[in-house]
Every structure is written in structure tokens, then in C-alpha cells.
Amino acid sequence: DFVVGCGMLVRRDVWETVGFFDERFFLYYEDSDLCFRAARAGYWCVTVPSVRLYHRVSRSTSADSEQTLYYMRRNALLFLQKNGSFAGRAAALADDVRLLCVWKGKGDTRRTRILAMAVGDYFARRFGRKNAPFR
């Protein structure tokens, strides 16, 4: 359904028809959003399985980083708002509440704080790059 942005080749007419990346995402889901908008406009996402792409991941965006947790959770809600159903958004919010309860119960204040910040910023419509520190 989508092509990862770091390996994406996009024809000019696609950009002209559907627009560029939605800057509200800043990091994570912007490529998925673009592909969904292109699909709605009648374009196809095509992959070439024989091509290999190596993408170096920085420490700040590793799987357990505060940045990754924040942007993945906030932007999932934005993506579902734009491209999904109400039921999908409700399920994502329910999962966020579940995680908050689990992490709070385990005393994981770091992840609890970051997830609460992500959900709070989604509802406050604070999108784009987060200027305030995560700590």
C-alpha cells in the first residue's frame, strides 16, 4: 500500500496532482500518507523486489528512542484521521490508553510521559517538528 520514502521515486505528475509530503507529519507516516493520496487519485505504488536499499538508522530514531515513540504514536493518529476510519482511530486511541496503563503500572515514567505528550499534542493539533526537548 505504500513505498518507504527514503527509496521512493515519484513522477512529476504525481507531485502536481496530489501535492508534496504533508509537513505536519515531519517524521514517520509522511510516505504512507503520500501513497494513500496518490492511490485515491488513481496512481499505483509499484515496488521492484530485486532492488536492495540500505537505510542507516540513527541512534535518535532507533526503535526505543523517545523521538520514535513520540512521532510514531502522534502521527499514527494523524494518518488515521486523514486516511482511515473513525473505528481505526478509536482502536489506535484505545491502544494508546492500554499502553499508558501498562507502562504506568510498570513504573515506566519515560515512556508514559512521551506517549501522553504524543496523544496530547495530537488533540491540541501540535504537528510538525517538536521544538521542545523530549526529556
Side-chain angles (χ1 to χ4, degrees):
D1 291 332
F2 75 98
V3 176
V4 177
C6 69
M8 189 182 274
L9 297 175
V10 182
R11 293 189 343 220
R12 181 180 180 153
D13 61 310
V14 174
W15 295 121
E16 291 170 345
T17 302
V18 303
F20 296 101
F21 291 115
D22 183 337
E23 294 180 5
R24 292 179 299 169
F25 288 102
F26 173 67
L27 185 65
Y28 301 120
Y29 284 93
E30 73 283 356
D31 44 9
S32 300
D33 175 63
L34 178 69
C35 291
F36 270 70
R37 287 185 284 132
R40 278 197 303 270
Y43 293 99
W44 293 8
C45 289
V46 178
T47 60
V48 181
S50 62
V51 171
R52 295 290 177 252
L53 177 70
Y54 297 94
H55 184 280
R56 184 174 177 190
V57 177
S58 73
R59 189 178 309 161
S60 63
T61 56
S62 65
D64 191 44
S65 77
E66 293 177 347
Q67 265 193 159
T68 298
L69 174 59
Y70 174 83
Y71 288 115
M72 288 292 271
R73 299 312 286 207
R74 185 200 66 184
N75 292 352
L77 295 170
L78 176 59
F79 176 81
L80 289 167
Q81 174 188 321
K82 289 184 68 178
N83 303 294
S85 65
F86 175 79
R89 208 166 50 229
L93 280 168
D95 190 51
D96 288 339
V97 169
R98 180 191 65 80
L99 282 173
L100 282 169
C101 292
V102 168
W103 290 339
K104 187 163 181 67
K106 289 183 175 184
D108 190 340
T109 56
R110 180 184 71 92
R111 289 196 293 183
T112 301
R113 179 180 42 79
I114 295 298
L115 180 53
M117 187 185 312
V119 173
D121 283 353
Y122 167 76
F123 280 111
R125 301 293 182 241
R126 287 189 290 264
F127 298 114
R129 184 177 189 161
K130 183 152 185 70
N131 293 323
F134 288 96
R135 301 199 187 287

